[in-house]
Amino acid sequence: SAASDVYKRQRSPIWPVRVSYRGQQSSAGRDCPIRLSSMDDMTIRRATAADIPQIDELLRQVLEVHHAGRPDLFKGGVKKYTDEELKAILANDQTPVFVAVAPSANDGNDAEHNADSPATDQVLGYAFCVFQQHLNSNILTDIKTLYIDDLCVDERSRGHHVGSTLYRYVLDFARQSGCHNVTLNVWACNPKAQAFYERMGLTPYYIGMEQVL
């Protein structure tokens, strides 16, 4: 049943998980905020190859933030991954990617959707994760870490707790996977991201420094 597919927070994480996401969806275009009706749910699940076009758009948004902050390090107007590279990442259980999605409206009146076209999920945000473990190291213990390589919320969906819900979901996933900690890197040129992670409870454990010549 549908109810059996819903993740219960007090139990071990059985994906996908549904959470409340308020508002009403707009079909006016790419630059309009995503708004969902209060009866709809935002779902967090593993990403699939069908999500790649929307994931590419979010990857572009992240890259543009980094390019604007450090154009000496980050290129602009390029793709981070090819489709084949993304497919390989999504299929690998050691690099799980989670997406927060909402059902796209399909009331038969949308020029892009009609009654003969099934509704598709709209990706609101993603979390790229990587399991890390140092085995047989002379100096490091063999703790299991879940590294968040990238976390992004669509610029049209911000302010609706999509990022915090995604992060807490990843935290639960890491706990259930037997991880000791969750880690990530944040660029100094992105203070909003740093402030967000601090609100989520993350604290510095390693600081990278540079001197530009």
Side-chain angles (χ1 to χ4, degrees):
S1 67
S4 65
D5 292 335
V6 179
Y7 166 68
K8 304 298 183 183
R9 288 191 177 276
Q10 65 272 23
R11 301 175 60 187
S12 60
I14 302 174
W15 297 275
V17 53
R18 291 180 181 174
V19 291
S20 175
Y21 183 86
R22 298 181 179 178
Q24 183 176 0
Q25 186 173 9
S26 168
S27 60
R30 179 66 228 171
D31 296 330
C32 295
I34 297 173
R35 303 184 182 91
L36 301 173
S37 65
S38 58
M39 69 184 66
D40 288 328
D41 287 334
M42 175 177 70
T43 300
I44 299 178
R45 58 166 173 77
R46 281 285 292 268
T48 69
D51 301 314
I52 286 178
Q54 295 184 78
I55 290 175
D56 275 339
E57 167 57 23
L58 270 62
L59 287 166
R60 182 197 65 79
Q61 292 180 20
V62 172
L63 180 58
E64 289 307 310
V65 169
H66 291 159
H67 173 64
R70 289 298 303 266
D72 58 325
L73 300 180
F74 292 97
K75 299 176 181 179
V78 296
K79 289 182 66 172
K80 183 174 182 178
Y81 304 110
T82 66
D83 286 353
E84 290 305 312
E85 288 171 336
L86 262 182
K87 288 177 183 177
I89 291 170
L90 299 184
N92 189 344
D93 287 339
Q94 293 302 305
T95 57
V97 179
F98 301 102
V99 286
V101 299
S104 293
N106 184 3
D107 58 8
N109 297 320
D110 191 335
E112 297 181 359
H113 301 92
N114 54 54
D116 297 324
S117 300
T120 57
D121 284 340
Q122 187 147 11
V123 176
L124 309 175
Y126 64 61
F128 279 70
C129 304
V130 180
F131 283 109
Q132 296 178 336
Q133 191 170 24
H134 299 281
L135 299 176
N136 304 316
S137 170
N138 290 335
I139 61 171
L140 297 175
T141 63
D142 62 355
I143 63 167
K144 189 176 182 180
T145 294
L146 188 68
Y147 170 67
I148 301 177
D149 181 59
D150 198 355
L151 191 154
C152 174
V153 174
D154 191 312
E155 57 194 12
R156 304 170 301 154
S157 303
R158 292 168 192 170
H160 296 281
H161 309 292
V162 177
S164 58
T165 304
L166 257 174
Y167 176 75
R168 292 187 181 105
Y169 179 87
V170 169
L171 215 59
D172 287 344
F173 172 78
R175 289 192 186 101
Q176 295 298 327
S177 299
C179 292
H180 172 76
N181 58 354
V182 169
T183 65
L184 55 81
N185 295 326
V186 59
W187 287 90
C189 63
N190 194 355
K192 289 183 179 179
Q194 183 175 350
F196 166 76
Y197 292 131
E198 289 174 346
R199 290 197 302 272
M200 291 296 98
L202 286 144
T203 56
Y205 83 113
Y206 170 86
I207 298 175
M209 304 179 73
E210 71 169 343
Q211 184 170 2
V212 177
L213 305 178

